[in-house]
Amino acid sequence: MKYELNKGDFVTIGNDTGVIVFLTGEKDTPAEHVGIWFGETNEKGNPKYRTVPIDY
């Protein structure tokens, strides 16, 4: 199945809503994955993102 995903798109995974910040191949994002930010930051205040398979 093909997906039309773009940076800035909001997505829901389970009960969590996030925003796509990286696409496959960007910022070490593995093939068939996207980087999603769920509103978390690290101890320095920088955004933390997670890579998630596109099929999710």
Side-chain angles (χ1 to χ4, degrees):
M1 177 178 242
K2 285 284 187 184
Y3 297 93
E4 182 67 36
L5 299 174
N6 298 292
K7 286 184 187 180
D9 287 350
F10 285 91
V11 293
T12 300
I13 299 175
N15 293 325
D16 298 320
T17 299
V19 64
I20 297 175
V21 291
F22 297 110
L23 301 173
T24 296
E26 296 180 323
K27 188 82 172 179
D28 299 323
T29 305
E32 302 298 320
H33 286 65
V34 291
I36 300 177
W37 183 59
F38 291 99
E40 298 174 302
T41 57
N42 66 16
E43 61 281 346
K44 293 181 180 181
N46 296 324
K48 290 175 32 178
Y49 72 95
R50 294 184 234 163
T51 57
V52 178
I54 291 173
D55 290 339
Y56 283 15

